[in-house]
Amino acid sequence: MKATIYQVAEEAGVSIATVSKVINNKGLIGTDAKRRVLEATKKLNYHPNEMAKALTGQKTKMIGLLVSDLASPFFAELTRNINEQCRANGFNIMVCSTDGQPEKEKNCVSALIRQGVDGFIVASDHYPKMIELELKKRELKGVFLSTEPEEEHYAMPLITIDNYEGACQAVHYLLASNHKKVAMIKENTAAGKIRYRAFFDTMKEAQLPVKEQFVMETDSSIENGYECAKRLLRLEERPSAIFVSSDLLSGGVMKAAREMNVQIPEELSIVGFDNISICELTAPPLTTIAQPIRVMGRKAVELLVKQINGAEIHNRTHIMEPRLRIRSSTSFYDDPKEFIKK
């Protein structure tokens, strides 16, 4: 059972008011009384109630983290890194998974506010306009992470990756590896749409067609990647490479290729996006576009802590650079038709 302020007062032989003054470092307290109170709190392992701190306007050293999908390996890794950075800065986190649903987002914000959090980090695959409005209305500090804004002006600092540049890197690499029949499986998210635009523009720049049947759109999951890949690999003229807009979807693509006896990378090259830790464990290891997850988590905590401590954040947009990580799921494509022509 947790110790109470009443038990501390009894143990120290002082009044509750004296215990409160010592804990909150307010008022004039005698040295002996202060020593006895501190010894009692240590002996009883007493910790002040965080809600009580919030009600008196004190910092609770708690950060609310709203995540759109905790089941996603990308957001799970991001959450772990944010937690590490919070602890390094003397903060704890309270996590809510919103599933990207506005009603859940609203409920999570209200619940975390009741717990007296000092600020919010919102990690989402869509721009949570409702959360932005709610935090602005309540004059709460916040940072948006891994989201794509739907407009130019937003109230909170934003950390994201250059999705367009990352997708361009992926497609350029496949084209440089002699792939001309390149398909894409894109996520049904704001980032997925930007990655598709980069795919389309890069193919057009290379004067290569983007066939309608070579483009699939779906929600990010292994099963959805599996189903999309099966449809692509059953085509009479199937792609020699697939750019997949998340590593999670790529796992399903690999599963489908194995079941259909399509050799990776000899017959099919695959490039993912995110660089989650499992990429090095797939068979073969996955070539992907790396998001700097650790850097993004550190930056989010840094910006929020600065705001909590009263600093003004003048630079609202922080765009991280993607990096191509080449592994064994891709190779140079030797087109059989070119050998026939020769």
Side-chain angles (χ1 to χ4, degrees), residues 184-257:
M184 180 177 180
I185 301 175
K186 60 174 179 171
E187 291 178 288
N188 184 25
T189 63
K193 290 176 172 60
I194 292 173
R195 293 168 193 175
Y196 170 70
R197 179 158 53 84
F199 165 79
F200 183 89
D201 291 349
T202 307
M203 293 291 285
K204 186 177 179 181
E205 182 185 284
Q207 299 182 328
L208 291 171
V210 177
K211 299 178 181 179
E212 186 178 343
Q213 64 269 33
F214 272 21
V215 179
M216 303 277 178
E217 183 173 17
T218 187
D219 295 329
S220 189
S221 72
I222 291 176
E223 275 307 306
N224 287 342
Y226 171 77
E227 293 298 331
C228 288
K230 282 202 300 185
R231 290 199 291 274
L232 288 170
L233 297 177
R234 283 173 181 158
L235 293 171
E236 186 174 343
E237 187 177 11
R238 71 188 187 199
S240 65
I242 304 176
F243 169 46
V244 192
S245 71
S246 80
D247 293 338
L248 194 60
L249 284 167
S250 297
V253 176
M254 288 186 160
K255 179 183 176 185

